[in-house]
Amino acid sequence: MEKENVQDTLLKELAGLEYLLVSYSGGIDSTLLALLAQKVLQDKVKCVLFDAPLVPRRAVDEAKETARKFRLSCSIIPFPILENEEFRKNSSNRCYICKKQSARILKDQAEELGISKIADGINASDLDEYRPGLQASNEEGILHPFLSLGIQKKQIRQLAQDCGFDFWNKPSASCLVSRIPYGEEITVEKLQIIEHAEDLLHDLGFSNLRVRLHGKIARIELIPEEFEKAVNIRDQMLEVLQNCGFSYIALDLKGYRSGSMDEVL
């Protein structure tokens, strides 16, 4: 499908929804979805941003700023997923548990607003990864406009760039829990350590990165093009990460990749 047809078809699909609640994270997928929906539905589009310890504060702040910048009608709702004992156990279906609970909150919010349709930014490229949360969303009736049209991540970036949105090349993000190995209990303390470590590495100038938690070991994933930079500022990295509480720091030679904790499944 040509890019003009992709956008036209997507806008037509969104226009047919009449009223829409968007599960919004501030990432490129949900932001583009919300803005395109706003283009055809105007004030009949509402967004919900979940605020939980799973989400880096930096990401929440950026999402709020993006919503303000583009005048999105966005409600910020606390998401108490860590109160769920089964989720904290961190089994391989944790994303299913999380999406099931978040979908119910979205449905409650939609009912309160008188909206019958809820959508998220899941796209065709997400099918290449382990996504048990998608099943939960489907069970709860959440729509996936990008996915239903077979739109991939690279097409979403291209659409955003064609629309003149400056977030078109924003790095992909994921919840902080994805840095903790399956079977290891999820705690606020662990999430805060990971978040702090990643913030400090971002401040050192690294772009796409993950700090995977393995006990007292930090397994750092960087894009290969930044390996040399890591070697050159090794002492700074060691100081930063040891101050976060890590005893050992390892650079993963496979480099940054989404969902690396799923490789053991």
Side-chain angles (χ1 to χ4, degrees), residues 94 129 172-182 184 190 193-195 197-198 201 208-222 241 246 248-252 255-263:
R94 70 184 178 211
E129 301 179 7
S172 296
S174 61
C175 86
L176 294 170
V177 173
S178 67
R179 280 64 149 174
I180 302 174
Y182 290 114
E184 183 176 325
K190 290 173 185 175
I193 288 171
I194 294 165
E195 178 179 3
E198 291 190 353
L201 290 181
N208 276 5
L209 66 92
R210 296 289 185 267
V211 176
R212 310 289 187 184
L213 183 70
H214 298 271
K216 287 291 185 179
I217 301 172
R219 176 168 60 88
I220 313 302
E221 294 179 13
L222 304 173
L241 293 169
F246 294 107
Y248 304 98
I249 292 90
L251 177 62
D252 189 326
Y256 164 77
R257 59 214 185 272
S258 178
S260 72
M261 287 299 196
D262 300 332
E263 294 169 359

Side-chain angles (χ1 to χ4, degrees), residues 203-265:
D203 290 342
L204 287 177
F206 294 104
S207 53
N208 276 5
L209 66 92
R210 296 289 185 267
V211 176
R212 310 289 187 184
L213 183 70
H214 298 271
K216 287 291 185 179
I217 301 172
R219 176 168 60 88
I220 313 302
E221 294 179 13
L222 304 173
I223 60 174
E225 293 80 4
E226 293 183 342
F227 281 5
E228 184 177 356
K229 174 183 175 68
V231 173
N232 290 337
I233 63 169
R234 184 189 65 158
D235 291 341
Q236 286 177 266
M237 290 181 66
L238 286 172
E239 181 180 1
V240 160
L241 293 169
Q242 286 175 342
N243 286 340
C244 290
F246 294 107
S247 299
Y248 304 98
I249 292 90
L251 177 62
D252 189 326
L253 295 183
K254 282 188 176 181
Y256 164 77
R257 59 214 185 272
S258 178
S260 72
M261 287 299 196
D262 300 332
E263 294 169 359
V264 301
L265 297 176

Side-chain angles (χ1 to χ4, degrees), residues 1 3 26 43 50 54 101-102 104 114 126 133 146 156 168 180 183 189-190 202 206 208 212 215 219 252 258 260-261:
M1 191 185 298
K3 64 183 181 182
D43 61 353
F50 286 117
L54 318 183
Q101 186 165 325
S102 65
R104 289 167 180 164
D126 292 322
F146 293 135
I156 291 173
W168 70 270
I180 302 174
E189 292 73 23
K190 290 173 185 175
H202 278 299
F206 294 104
N208 276 5
R212 310 289 187 184
R219 176 168 60 88
D252 189 326
S258 178
S260 72
M261 287 299 196

Side-chain angles (χ1 to χ4, degrees), residues 23 79 81 84 87 92-107 118 120 122 127 130-144 147:
S23 179
F79 184 40
I81 186 63
N84 187 311
F87 177 80
S92 60
N93 73 333
R94 70 184 178 211
C95 290
Y96 178 89
I97 297 169
C98 182
K99 286 296 184 182
K100 199 76 172 176
Q101 186 165 325
S102 65
R104 289 167 180 164
I105 296 174
L106 287 169
K107 290 169 77 171
I118 306 169
D120 63 22
I122 290 289
L127 298 182
Y130 177 61
R131 295 273 180 169
L134 180 57
Q135 178 185 344
S137 296
N138 289 339
E139 290 172 356
E140 296 297 326
I142 307 300
L143 303 177
H144 321 294
L147 179 58

